[in-house]
């Protein structure tokens, strides 16, 4: 077999290449169905083809709870003492809150400079879907926030994939195991071996990723006139891309500042998770794969297993940028004036209310709706961004993955130097 044939086979077996092909094929099929069939067929087709994406995401979801629990407990136990846990935890939270604040500021800056809400023409609002999201904000209070963070049952938390609740239980379990010392070694060894088995499962699940991405893209574009959507929302979407692009530049500069030349290697490692997150609009879908790639990059497993679950609850940079952008956009569209002081208050509210809701469907929109209600902005304005939210979510999800990969790698580097 010559070199050309070998390289072709290698390319075809490359997961990232397969996913990119799936994105293109899914888009072509979706647009074809939209252009050539009636609404009844399109609805049926969209519902059925979406099953591919549902299967893939559910396969990933079945792995997440045991993976978070086993890796985090083992990671904390290997750290050895509460002092080490406190040091890494402090660095992690310091990074997360700084990154969140910068992301929110970027969203606030660009939405005020570009003012997309003043350019868009109000379409017929999809009031039913907007009402659905607004209803999820009922009871969005301090009590509700605390109840969401602290599990009343770890079994329930695992059954519903509440990552933050699993993290809380795992931290207590890991600290207790570390304090017992050698007596806990058999349990920690068993959990360590279990985590490696689950990571092996990741390899099998990821083989289905191209089909999941294909189904997700085809499902959406079969129901929406892509070109009409882009024409109608071109200014909003373009403004959003300016904001998310700025955030990427900041994240990459910070990454190169701390990781130097290793940042290029990291980007090569996480191309596949980035593309999967982009295609499926789910950063959760790449959690297992990202864990594996960061360990291959050279971050110690105990750091990855501690940082990544925390990051998925506290460090969603793309979602944070979108929340200020979307909230102020809706205010602009409805002519609700917001002075700088009010916007800064909104920013701080978003900083707090967004933590720990990663497991909520349409989490960003739920927080935006709650924030709009708090600042007397019409909550039905959520319907303004629903038609294009899927496409924004692609970029949000990929940005969340990039932010968590950089955060984990930088903290891992600090720990090596400590």
């Amino acid at each position: 077999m010559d070199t050309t044939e070998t390289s072709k086979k290698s390319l075809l077996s490359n997961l990232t290449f397969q996913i990119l092909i799936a994105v293109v094929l899914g888009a072509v099929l979706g647009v074809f169905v939209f252009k050539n069939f009636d609404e009844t067929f399109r609805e049926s087709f969209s519902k059925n083809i979406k099953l591919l994406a549902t299967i893939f995401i559910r396969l990933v979801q079945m792995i997440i709870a045991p993976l978070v629990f086993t890796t985090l407990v083992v990671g904390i136990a290997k750290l050895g003492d509460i002092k080490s846990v406190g040091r890494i935890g402090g660095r992690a939270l310091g990074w997360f809150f700084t990154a969140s604040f910068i992301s929110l500021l970027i969203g606030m800056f660009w939405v005020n400079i570009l003012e997309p809400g003043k350019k868009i023409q109000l379409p017929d609002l999809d009031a039913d879907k907007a009402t659905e999201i607004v209803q999820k904000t009922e009871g969005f209070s301090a009590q509700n926030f605390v109840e969401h963070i602290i599990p009343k049952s770890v079994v329930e938390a695992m059954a519903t994939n509440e990552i933050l609740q699993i993290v809380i239980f795992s931290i207590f379990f890991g600290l207790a195991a570390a304090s017992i010392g050698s007596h806990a070694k058999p349990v920690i060894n068993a959990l360590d071996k279990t985590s490696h088995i689950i990571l092996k499962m990741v390899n099998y699940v990821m083989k289905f990723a191209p089909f999941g991405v294909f189904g997700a893209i085809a499902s959406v574009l079969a129901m929406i006139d892509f070109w009409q959507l882009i024409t109608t929302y071109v200014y909003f979407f373009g403004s959003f891309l300016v904001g998310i692009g700025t955030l990427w530049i900041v994240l990459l500069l910070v990454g190169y500042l701390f990781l130097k030349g290793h940042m290029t290697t990291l980007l090569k490692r996480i191309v596949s998770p980035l593309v999967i997150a982009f295609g499926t609009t789910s950063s959760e879908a790449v959690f297992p794969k990202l864990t594996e790639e960061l360990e291959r990059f050279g971050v110690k497993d105990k750091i990855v297993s501690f940082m990544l679950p925390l990051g998925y609850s506290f460090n969603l940079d793309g979602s944070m940028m979108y929340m200020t952008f979307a909230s102020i956009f809706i205010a602009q569209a409805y002519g609700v004036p917001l002075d700088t002081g009010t916007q800064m208050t909104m920013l701080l509210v978003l900083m707090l209310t967004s933590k720990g809701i990663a497991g909520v469907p349409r989490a960003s929109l739920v927080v935006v709706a709650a924030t709009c209600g708090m600042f007397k902005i019409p909550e039905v304005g959520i319907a303004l961004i629903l038609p294009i939210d899927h496409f924004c979510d692609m970029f949000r999800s990929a940005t969340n993955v990039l932010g968590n990969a950089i955060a984990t790698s930088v903290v891992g580097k600090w720990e090596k130097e400590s």
Side-chain angles (χ1 to χ4, degrees):
M1 188 181 292
D2 61 31
T3 311
T4 308
E5 285 182 26
T6 306
S7 61
K8 278 183 181 177
K9 284 196 171 183
S10 175
L11 184 63
L12 290 172
S13 63
N14 181 277
L15 181 63
T16 303
F17 179 74
Q18 292 172 358
I19 292 166
L20 288 171
I21 293 296
V23 169
V24 174
L25 292 177
V28 170
L29 179 61
V31 171
F32 175 79
V33 169
F34 182 86
K35 295 286 186 186
N36 294 281
F37 295 92
D38 60 26
E39 189 175 348
T40 304
F41 179 85
R42 293 201 307 263
E43 284 180 5
S44 174
F45 172 83
S46 178
K47 185 178 178 182
N48 289 327
I49 200 75
K50 194 178 180 181
L51 286 173
L52 291 172
T54 303
I55 290 167
F56 171 64
I57 289 173
R58 287 180 75 91
L59 284 171
V60 174
Q61 287 173 333
M62 91 179 166
I63 296 171
I64 287 173
L67 182 63
V68 170
F69 174 68
T70 55
T71 56
L72 188 51
V73 169
V74 171
I76 291 173
K78 284 182 177 178
L79 289 173
D81 55 43
I82 293 176
K83 186 179 176 182
S84 296
V85 175
R87 185 183 66 248
I88 297 171
R91 287 173 169 176
L93 292 177
W95 180 284
F96 293 161
F97 278 94
T98 302
S100 295
F101 188 71
I102 291 170
S103 302
L104 288 164
L105 275 178
I106 289 172
M108 186 176 121
F109 174 79
W110 282 116
V111 78
N112 280 292
I113 293 295
L114 300 173
E115 298 185 323
K118 294 183 180 179
K119 302 287 195 298
I120 197 166
Q121 292 182 340
L122 293 176
D124 294 330
L125 297 183
D126 194 340
D128 291 339
K129 286 185 180 177
T131 304
E132 247 178 70
I133 291 167
V134 171
Q135 284 172 350
K136 290 179 184 176
T137 70
E138 292 175 5
F140 199 84
S141 60
Q143 180 180 343
N144 185 270
F145 177 63
V146 170
E147 286 175 354
H148 186 78
I149 289 176
I150 301 171
K152 62 181 177 183
S153 163
V154 68
V155 176
E156 181 186 32
M158 287 190 170
T160 54
N161 264 350
E162 291 284 358
I163 292 180
L164 189 55
Q165 293 187 7
I166 298 168
V167 166
I168 295 295
F169 178 81
S170 302
I171 288 172
F172 276 99
F173 192 100
L175 288 173
S179 67
I180 292 173
S182 59
H183 295 292
K185 273 189 178 178
V187 175
I188 299 304
N189 287 338
L191 289 174
D192 193 17
K193 286 170 184 172
T194 303
S195 70
H196 282 90
I197 293 171
I198 296 167
L199 284 170
K200 186 65 179 174
M201 289 172 65
V202 172
N203 293 328
Y204 303 142
V205 170
M206 283 302 139
K207 291 184 185 300
F208 197 77
F211 298 99
V213 171
F214 172 79
I217 299 292
S219 170
V220 172
L221 293 182
M223 293 301 296
I224 298 173
D225 185 338
F226 182 71
W227 298 115
Q228 183 184 345
L229 178 77
I230 293 300
T231 303
T232 306
Y233 285 97
V234 66
Y235 195 77
F236 170 79
F237 193 57
S239 302
F240 165 74
L241 289 181
V242 169
I244 213 77
T246 304
L247 181 53
W248 269 68
I249 290 169
V250 171
L251 288 172
L252 291 172
L253 286 175
V254 171
Y256 277 106
L257 179 67
F258 286 101
L259 299 173
K260 306 292 191 296
H262 295 295
M263 183 64 196
T264 305
T265 309
L266 174 65
L267 289 173
K268 288 177 182 175
R269 282 280 175 204
I270 63 171
V271 167
S272 179
L274 284 172
V275 175
I276 294 170
F278 182 84
T280 61
T281 67
S282 172
S283 46
E284 187 182 64
V286 298
F287 181 92
K289 181 69 175 173
L290 189 58
T291 300
E292 186 179 44
E293 292 298 345
L294 287 172
E295 288 180 4
R296 284 181 177 174
F297 172 66
V299 185
K300 289 181 181 176
D301 57 351
K302 63 183 181 182
I303 303 295
V304 175
S305 59
F306 183 80
M307 285 287 297
L308 217 48
L310 283 178
Y312 265 64
S313 294
F314 288 97
N315 192 45
L316 301 173
D317 298 330
S319 298
M320 300 297 285
M321 178 264 152
Y322 184 75
M323 281 182 229
T324 42
F325 190 91
S327 300
I328 298 172
F329 163 78
I330 293 168
Q332 290 173 352
Y334 282 94
V336 179
L338 297 173
D339 58 34
T340 304
T342 305
Q343 289 189 29
M344 289 303 295
T345 305
M346 179 187 285
L347 186 147
L348 293 173
V349 167
L350 285 166
M351 170 79 83
L352 295 173
T353 55
S354 62
K355 302 307 178 191
I357 65 148
V360 178
R362 289 186 183 271
S364 298
L365 292 181
V366 172
V367 176
V368 169
T371 306
C372 285
M374 200 178 299
F375 289 88
K376 309 302 179 190
I377 301 166
E379 292 163 291
V380 73
I382 289 294
L384 274 175
I385 53 180
L386 272 174
I388 203 169
D389 183 67
H390 180 90
F391 300 98
C392 294
D393 204 11
M394 289 176 159
F395 291 90
R396 291 200 304 261
S397 299
T399 308
N400 293 340
V401 170
L402 177 70
N404 277 314
I406 292 173
T408 304
S409 302
V410 171
V411 172
K413 181 175 181 286
W414 286 342
E415 283 303 302
K416 278 184 185 177
E417 294 170 356
S418 296

